[in-house]
């Protein structure tokens, strides 16, 4: 059996079985000595009886072996080896909570719908699926297999059913290197935003860059996962929490830068106010000094004018006195 692919969006498991259906048909026995010691013949499939096997959980045609080109080997003792083959797609419920370290269990249910258990009964020779022709898949690893034969009962009819179970493990190396580890590293980069100084001008842009990177990884994960499934993957929850933390980090960085610039503005305002007050005090003192000097100068000028007037009056008064004296003597 070869695992072709697992479609996570449509939730189906595509496989190519390479198996044989041994049958015993008493009607096909003969004595080789009567037929030239012919012990093995290869008739065409339509010339002998074959059980019609249906696939219950298929997404396509239920009659798997309706083709007439599958090889058939008939031996003289009545043993028939029928080797049908086709590419089948079966539904498979995916559980992606542990993505990309998840394990999926897919089953193949084969039943002979036209025959009861009294007419046809499946018998397994081995509890495990033979992997002689198994080819490894690049994304999935086949961890375990099992084969069980059960009875299918429906409306009084009882048929034989064979169930093949495959335990598939995802190979996480590719996703681990390209998805998980970058996300973990980005989660540590969120903490470094608090080391960047507020006045550097790169604090907010750094936080927005990390936020956009996490958004991109979240979109990548959402494209890898099916649109509907049981449970939410832990990686998606982790990415969403990192996205919320990164958004809160950006908001916190904006508040820090705002408060830092607000403090700078208040400090500048206080410095400008203090400088203005000092300049006002100096101007007031200078004005007082100039006023005092002007007052002193005015007083000196007034005194000088008074002295000049007094001297002029004295000069004018002296000749008049002399004339009075002369008139008296004459």
């Amino acid at each position: 059996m070869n695992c072709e692919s697992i479609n996570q969006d449509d939730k189906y498991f595509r496989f190519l079985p390479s198996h044989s259906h041994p049958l015993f048909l008493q009607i096909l026995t003969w004595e080789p000595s009567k037929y030239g010691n012919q012990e093995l013949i290869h008739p065409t499939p339509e010339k002998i009886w074959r059980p019609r096997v249906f696939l219950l959980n298929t997404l396509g045609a239920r009659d798997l072996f309706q083709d007439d080109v599958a090889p058939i080997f008939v031996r003289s003792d009545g043993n028939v080896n029928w080797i049908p083959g086709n590419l089948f797609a079966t539904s498979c419920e995916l559980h992606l909570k542990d993505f990309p370290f998840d394990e999926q269990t897919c089953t193949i249910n084969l039943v002979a719908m036209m025959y009861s258990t009294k007419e046809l009964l499946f018998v397994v020779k081995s509890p495990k699926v033979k992997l002689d022709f198994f080819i490894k898949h690049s994304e999935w690893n086949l961890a375990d297999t099992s084969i069980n034969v059960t009875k299918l009962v429906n409306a009084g009819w009882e048929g034989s059913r064979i169930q093949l179970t495959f335990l598939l493990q995802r190979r996480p190396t590719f996703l681990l290197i390209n998805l998980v580890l970058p996300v973990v590293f980005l989660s540590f980069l969120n903490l470094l935003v608090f080391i960047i100084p507020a006045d550097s001008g790169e604090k907010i842009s750094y936080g927005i860059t990390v936020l956009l990177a996490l958004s991109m990884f979240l979109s990548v994960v959402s494209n890898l996962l099916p649109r509907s499934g049981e449970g939410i993957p832990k990686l998606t929850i982790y990415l969403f929490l990192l996205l919320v933390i990164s958004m809160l980090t950006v908001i916190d960085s904006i508040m820090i830068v705002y408060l830092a610039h607000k403090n700078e503005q208040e400090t500048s305002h206080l410095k400008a106010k203090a400088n203005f007050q000092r300049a006002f005090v100096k101007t007031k003192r200078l004005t007082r000094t100039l006023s005092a000097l002007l007052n002193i100068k005015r007083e000196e000028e007034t005194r000088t004018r008074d002295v000049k007037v007094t001297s002029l009056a004295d000069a004018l008064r002296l000749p008049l006195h002399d004339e009075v004296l002369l008139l008296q003597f004459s």
Side-chain angles (χ1 to χ4, degrees):
M1 172 181 172
N2 298 328
C3 175
E4 293 293 329
S5 63
I6 294 182
N7 192 307
Q8 298 181 146
D9 293 332
D10 298 330
K11 291 194 264 189
Y12 67 84
F13 168 53
R14 189 184 295 272
F15 66 98
L16 177 64
S18 55
H19 60 290
S20 62
H21 288 266
L23 307 171
F24 176 73
L25 300 177
Q26 189 175 3
I27 195 175
L28 293 180
T29 59
W30 73 88
E31 292 183 9
S33 59
K34 294 183 180 181
Y35 298 95
N37 294 326
Q38 184 71 31
E39 296 182 353
L40 180 66
I41 60 175
H42 305 279
T44 56
E46 70 272 8
K47 292 183 178 181
I48 66 170
W49 174 87
R50 295 166 298 159
R52 298 195 64 183
V53 181
F54 294 87
L55 183 60
L56 292 182
N57 56 334
T58 181
L59 299 179
R62 292 186 180 275
D63 192 354
L64 303 181
F65 313 118
Q66 58 185 351
D67 61 277
D68 295 330
V69 295
I72 294 180
F73 303 91
V74 181
R75 297 186 178 277
S76 60
D77 55 0
N79 289 318
V80 179
N81 194 9
W82 177 38
I83 309 176
N86 203 344
L87 186 61
F88 308 133
T90 61
S91 60
C92 182
E93 187 66 28
L94 301 180
H95 303 275
L96 299 171
K97 288 185 178 180
D98 297 327
F99 176 86
F101 306 99
D102 54 326
E103 295 181 354
Q104 306 298 334
T105 302
C106 297
T107 59
I108 301 172
N109 296 313
L110 300 173
V111 62
M113 296 293 294
M114 300 176 61
Y115 306 96
S116 64
T117 54
K118 296 180 181 180
E119 298 173 313
L120 188 145
L121 184 65
F122 288 117
V123 178
V124 295
K125 294 183 178 180
S126 173
K128 302 287 185 180
V129 178
K130 292 184 178 180
L131 303 176
D132 297 338
F133 301 98
F134 176 73
I135 299 176
K136 292 183 178 180
H137 195 266
S138 60
E139 186 179 358
W140 296 92
N141 179 37
L142 184 59
D144 193 13
T145 62
S146 64
I147 303 177
N148 296 315
V149 176
T150 60
K151 293 181 179 180
L152 181 64
V153 180
N154 185 17
W157 174 83
E158 186 179 87
S160 180
R161 177 176 63 179
I162 182 170
Q163 187 177 46
L164 291 80
T165 305
F166 302 92
L167 179 61
L168 300 171
Q169 293 178 342
R170 191 189 301 269
R171 300 179 187 271
T173 306
F174 177 79
L175 295 174
L176 184 66
I177 296 176
N178 294 276
L179 185 63
V180 178
L181 289 181
V183 169
V184 174
F185 295 152
L186 282 175
S187 64
F188 288 105
L189 290 179
N190 265 332
L191 303 176
L192 301 179
V193 71
F194 298 103
I195 302 178
I196 302 176
D199 55 353
S200 65
E202 299 294 334
K203 195 177 187 68
I204 298 176
S205 60
Y206 175 82
I208 293 176
T209 302
V210 177
L211 178 62
L212 293 176
L214 290 173
S215 302
M216 184 270 294
F217 278 105
L218 185 61
S219 64
V220 171
V221 173
S222 63
N223 291 330
L224 293 175
L225 298 177
R227 300 296 179 267
S228 61
E230 291 189 4
I232 301 175
K234 297 176 182 177
L235 181 61
T236 303
I237 298 175
Y238 177 64
L239 275 172
F240 181 75
L241 292 177
L242 285 180
L243 194 66
V244 173
I245 293 173
S246 182
M247 182 181 65
L248 294 176
T249 303
V250 172
I251 295 174
D252 186 59
S253 300
I254 293 173
M255 295 299 296
I256 290 174
V257 172
Y258 170 75
L259 293 175
H261 284 288
K262 184 178 180 181
N263 293 332
E264 290 179 359
Q265 290 178 358
E266 290 180 354
T267 304
S268 301
H269 178 70
L270 292 175
K271 287 183 179 179
K273 185 177 180 180
N275 292 333
F276 177 76
Q277 289 178 350
R278 286 194 297 268
F280 179 76
V281 171
K282 291 180 179 180
T283 305
K284 190 175 181 180
R285 289 177 181 176
L286 181 60
T287 304
R288 290 178 179 178
T289 304
L290 291 175
S291 299
L293 292 175
L294 290 174
N295 292 332
I296 294 172
K297 186 176 181 181
R298 288 171 183 170
E299 291 178 357
E300 290 180 353
E301 290 178 353
T302 303
R303 290 176 184 176
T304 303
R305 284 198 302 268
D306 292 341
V307 171
K308 289 182 178 180
V309 171
T310 304
S311 301
L312 180 59
D314 293 339
L316 293 174
R317 192 178 300 118
L318 181 58
L320 182 59
H321 181 64
D322 293 337
E323 288 183 0
V324 172
L325 290 177
L326 290 173
L327 289 173
Q328 288 179 355
F329 282 110
S330 62

